[in-house]
């Protein structure tokens, strides 16, 4: 078990983010008899998972729902899987849009390189 300071160092969270996660539900630390938060290695893994979900662009509402399902037990795995599949679909759409944008840029850069190559291979007319 570890205290809040060590947990913050190991998860690279700010105190404000940690409090927010506890307030909105994704993180539920155990408490000592003196009401101090205590964290374990599994909590570090869970926070790292939450951070990863956030990086995928998953909304806080969906993260909250996922956390509720997780805390409810393994019988919720089908619902959790559905949430992850929905996020996968959203990411695939974003990736397709991003790839389309990259393709556009590559076509434009190819065009400019061709124009540049043509203009450097033809002699410049004399300037008067």
């Amino acid at each position: 078990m570890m205290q809040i300071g060590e947990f913050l160092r190991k998860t690279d969270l700010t105190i404000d983010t940690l409090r927010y996660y506890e307030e909105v539900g994704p993180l539920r630390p155990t408490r000592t008899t003196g009401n101090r938060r205590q964290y374990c290695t599994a909590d570090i893994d869970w926070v790292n998972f939450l951070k990863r979900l956030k990086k995928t662009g998953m909304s806080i509402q969906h993260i909250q729902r996922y956390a509720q399902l997780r805390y409810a037990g393994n019988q919720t795995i089908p619902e959790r899987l559905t949430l992850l599949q929905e996020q996968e679909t959203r990411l695939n759409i974003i990736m397709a849009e991003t790839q389309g944008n990259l393709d556009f840029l590559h076509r434009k850069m190819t065009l400019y390189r061709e124009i540049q190559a043509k203009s450097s291979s033809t002699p410049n007319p004399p300037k008067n």
Side-chain angles (χ1 to χ4, degrees):
M1 298 301 276
M2 66 192 89
Q3 300 287 323
I4 192 168
E6 182 180 358
F7 185 74
L8 289 172
R9 283 189 299 278
K10 289 186 176 187
T11 58
D12 199 32
L13 289 178
T14 66
I15 186 69
D16 292 333
T17 301
L18 180 62
R19 286 182 180 144
Y20 178 74
Y21 278 179
E22 290 176 9
E23 181 183 316
V24 298
L27 186 59
R28 300 176 187 169
T30 59
R31 299 270 183 169
T32 66
T33 53
N35 204 30
R36 290 181 167 231
R37 296 174 183 98
Q38 282 192 320
Y39 303 92
C40 64
T41 304
D43 293 322
I44 293 172
D45 294 339
W46 176 235
V47 165
N48 287 334
F49 180 77
L50 292 172
K51 288 165 57 175
R52 198 61 187 254
L53 287 179
K54 187 176 177 197
K55 284 183 181 182
T56 71
M58 184 178 276
S59 71
I60 190 63
Q61 293 82 11
H62 285 116
I63 291 172
Q64 286 172 308
R65 180 67 182 141
Y66 189 97
Q68 289 169 347
L69 293 168
R70 175 189 178 259
Y71 285 114
N74 284 345
Q75 70 274 13
T76 66
I77 285 176
E79 290 174 84
R80 287 185 265 166
L81 184 57
T82 297
L83 283 171
L84 295 177
Q85 289 169 329
E86 289 169 354
Q87 189 61 24
E88 177 188 37
T89 298
R90 286 191 279 285
L91 285 173
N92 281 329
I93 290 168
I94 291 168
M95 284 177 33
E97 290 171 351
T98 300
Q99 187 61 55
N101 291 333
L102 275 172
D103 292 346
F104 166 78
L105 289 176
H106 291 158
R107 286 190 303 272
K108 195 56 135 174
M109 291 186 311
T110 298
L111 175 66
Y112 286 156
R113 287 183 185 116
E114 289 170 359
I115 292 169
Q116 209 173 22
K118 286 178 185 175
S119 67
S120 65
S121 65
T122 57
N124 292 331
K127 294 183 180 178
N128 293 339

